[in-house]
């Protein structure tokens, strides 16, 4: 016999959380991991806000005693060389705005081309039937296990034979086609789209390409944005290949320009405060993207992985 007065569970917002030893240990471990992750970023920001004269005397302090934005101003090119040296700079110079423009162009070209090709390939693997489809897809997935450093020498020889050294085309060429993870990720999402939508379009006489452009892509904004963000962050931080291919200062991207700036020791030591200011500006876009889009990326990866 059921009772008419069943106990009512308290609302989720008013439930009392029980802090068990396991939960406390988990929070402590999470806090330590967060501290270890953020400590290097804080050291970069602290050094960028310090005066060069206080670099070694205040190295053990958590906050700079006299924070200044002069380091950011001079690395952006708004100070003369004499003014920079007067502030304690080493005399090293960096064309930060040109390097940032090269990084934006380098990243933008790769993101657009890679997402376009990966989306078309993923849709073909998800919906089209053709001989060798499963084998070809297995090769794409298997390519994720090949270290990128293995392909550097063959790619460099190819780019050199094509006469594309010190050019933007030579820098973006190895990254413009599909990546195994992008194809796998998008294919898993395309499989979750109801076939009824595509079959209705086929009955109306639409081609597969028309369905892909006008039906599938509008429903796939979130996974496409996720792949675009992940690819963009990787390419924004790419160092070795642009450093290997583009030695000309006019073609240097930000990570390579930072390395060149560090190696200029006009007064016997690197300009650490200027270098950290340039580094802080460089990492700011990626940090903002992760803060704003981090949760959506995790949810999108979990959704596609579950399929």
């Amino acid at each position: 016999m059921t009772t008419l007065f069943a106990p009512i569970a308290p609302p989720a917002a008013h439930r009392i959380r029980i802090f068990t030893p396991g939960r406390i240990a988990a929070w402590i471990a999470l806090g330590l991991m967060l501290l270890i992750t953020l400590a290097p970023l804080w050291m970069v920001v602290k050094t960028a806000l310090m005066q060069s004269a206080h670099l070694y005397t205040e190295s053990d302090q958590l906050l700079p005693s006299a924070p200044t934005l002069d380091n950011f101003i001079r690395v952006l090119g708004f100070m003369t060389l004499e003014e920079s040296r007067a502030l304690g700079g080493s005399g090293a110079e960096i064309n930060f705005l040109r390097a940032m423009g090269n990084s934006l162009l380098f990243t933008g070209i790769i993101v657009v081309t890679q997402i376009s090709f990966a989306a078309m390939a993923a849709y073909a693997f998800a919906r089209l039937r053709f001989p060798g489809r499963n084998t070809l897809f297995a090769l794409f997935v298997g390519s994720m296990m090949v270290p990128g450093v293995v392909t550097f020498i063959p790619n460099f020889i190819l780019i050199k034979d094509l006469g594309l050294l010190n050019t933007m085309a030579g820098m973006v060429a190895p990254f413009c086609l599909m990546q195994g993870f992008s194809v796998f990720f998008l294919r898993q999402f395309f499989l979750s789209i109801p076939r009824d939508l595509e079959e209705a379009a086929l009955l109306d006489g639409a081609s597969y390409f028309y369905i892909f452009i006008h039906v599938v892509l509008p429903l796939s904004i979130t996974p496409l944005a996720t792949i675009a963000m992940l690819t963009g962050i990787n390419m924004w931080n790419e160092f070795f290949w642009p450093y290997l291919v583009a030695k000309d200062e006019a073609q240097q991207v930000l990570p390579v320009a930072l390395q060149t700036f560090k190696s200029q020791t006009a007064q016997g030591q690197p300009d650490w405060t200027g270098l950290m200011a340039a580094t802080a500006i460089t990492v700011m876009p990626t940090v903002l993207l992760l803060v704003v889009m981090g949760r959506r990326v995790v949810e999108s990866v979990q959704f596609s992985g579950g399929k």
Side-chain angles (χ1 to χ4, degrees):
M1 179 176 181
T2 60
T3 178
L4 297 178
F5 301 98
I8 300 176
H14 299 286
R15 292 175 184 172
I16 300 176
R17 296 195 176 190
I18 301 176
F19 291 96
T20 61
R23 185 185 294 271
I24 296 175
W27 278 106
I28 293 175
L30 182 62
L32 290 175
M33 293 175 61
L34 185 62
L35 179 63
I36 294 173
T37 302
L38 295 180
L41 294 177
W42 172 243
M43 290 299 297
V44 169
V45 176
K46 188 194 80 169
T47 306
L49 295 174
M50 291 177 63
Q51 299 178 10
S52 299
H54 301 161
L55 179 61
Y56 297 104
T57 59
E58 300 181 0
S59 60
D60 57 343
Q61 297 183 11
L62 185 61
L63 297 173
S65 60
T68 178
L69 296 177
D70 290 339
N71 297 316
F72 294 93
I73 295 174
R74 61 191 180 88
V75 297
L76 289 174
F78 299 122
M79 282 188 183
T80 63
L81 184 59
E82 291 75 16
E83 292 173 335
S84 176
R85 286 178 173 173
L87 292 173
S90 64
E93 294 182 297
I94 176 175
N95 195 329
F96 191 87
L97 296 180
R98 182 180 63 191
M100 178 174 285
N102 290 336
S103 286
L104 289 172
L105 182 61
F106 174 76
T107 302
I109 292 174
I110 293 174
V111 168
V112 172
T113 55
Q114 190 175 130
I115 294 303
S116 300
F117 292 132
M120 289 187 286
Y123 182 71
F125 285 127
R127 288 292 187 258
L128 303 184
R129 299 290 184 267
F130 53 90
R133 185 190 65 164
N134 294 333
T135 302
L136 188 58
F137 179 70
L139 291 175
F140 268 97
V141 175
S143 67
M144 292 189 290
M145 296 183 288
V146 179
V149 69
V150 174
T151 61
F152 275 145
I153 294 178
N155 284 336
F156 180 80
I157 295 174
L158 177 61
I159 295 300
K160 181 180 179 181
D161 291 342
L162 292 175
L164 296 178
L165 293 179
N166 292 318
T167 64
M168 183 60 65
M171 288 196 294
V172 303
F175 304 102
C176 282
L177 298 180
M178 288 114 9
Q179 297 291 325
F181 174 76
S182 300
V183 175
F184 171 78
F185 181 86
L186 292 175
R187 173 185 175 272
Q188 297 303 102
F189 183 84
F190 292 158
L191 289 174
S192 67
I193 296 177
R195 287 181 175 269
D196 297 343
L197 298 175
E198 300 172 57
E199 292 175 354
L202 287 173
L203 291 176
D204 289 338
S207 63
Y208 278 107
F209 185 76
Y210 183 91
I211 295 172
F212 172 72
I213 296 295
H214 296 279
V215 178
V216 176
L217 289 186
L219 297 174
S220 309
I221 299 299
T222 298
L224 290 174
T226 299
I227 290 295
M229 192 190 75
L230 295 177
T231 303
I233 291 175
N234 288 334
M235 293 302 102
W236 183 264
N237 297 322
E238 180 65 29
F239 169 77
F240 189 73
W241 179 255
Y243 178 76
L244 189 66
V245 172
K247 296 292 186 180
D248 189 359
E249 291 185 2
Q251 300 294 334
Q252 287 182 348
V253 295
L254 274 174
V256 179
L258 292 177
Q259 170 62 26
T260 303
F261 182 76
K262 176 181 176 297
S263 63
Q264 296 176 4
T265 56
Q267 294 185 358
Q269 63 181 2
D271 184 1
W272 291 113
T273 55
L275 179 63
M276 293 300 103
T279 303
I281 300 174
T282 301
V283 302
M284 191 178 301
T286 58
V287 172
L288 291 176
L289 273 177
L290 289 175
V291 170
V292 175
M293 300 288 293
R295 180 181 294 273
R296 179 167 295 184
V297 169
V298 173
E299 292 175 352
S300 183
V301 171
Q302 289 177 342
F303 176 80
S304 294
K307 296 292 182 180

